[in-house]
Amino acid sequence: MPKSGPKQARVEPIREAEDQNLPVIGWHVIDETDPENEIAVSEHDTEAEAIRAAEEYEQREE
């Protein structure tokens, strides 16, 4: 069922393993519009690129 209302996205770091001490190797944009069904919608090399992509994703219409 499609979710009504605006999209919500967040940016998360990608690491080689789940160890927070390892360096960040990229960034995911996660669609969190439906908290029960969060999905990664894109991957980026820099945090700035990911933030821009998340903002653009939130503005896109379905």
Side-chain angles (χ1 to χ4, degrees):
M1 175 183 342
K3 184 88 172 169
S4 62
K7 293 182 187 177
Q8 290 184 290
R10 72 173 183 274
V11 173
E12 286 190 349
I14 302 169
R15 299 178 193 277
E16 288 187 28
E18 293 193 26
D19 183 346
Q20 295 297 316
N21 296 317
L22 292 175
V24 172
I25 59 171
W27 297 87
H28 276 142
V29 174
I30 308 293
D31 179 345
E32 61 180 10
T33 305
D34 179 0
E36 299 294 320
N37 190 31
E38 294 182 349
I39 56 170
V41 294
S42 61
E43 184 175 318
H44 305 273
D45 292 329
T46 68
E47 184 177 21
E49 289 174 0
I51 291 169
R52 279 192 300 276
E55 290 170 349
E56 290 171 5
Y57 181 78
E58 289 178 340
Q59 297 302 314
R60 267 189 252 150
E61 293 183 24
E62 297 273 338

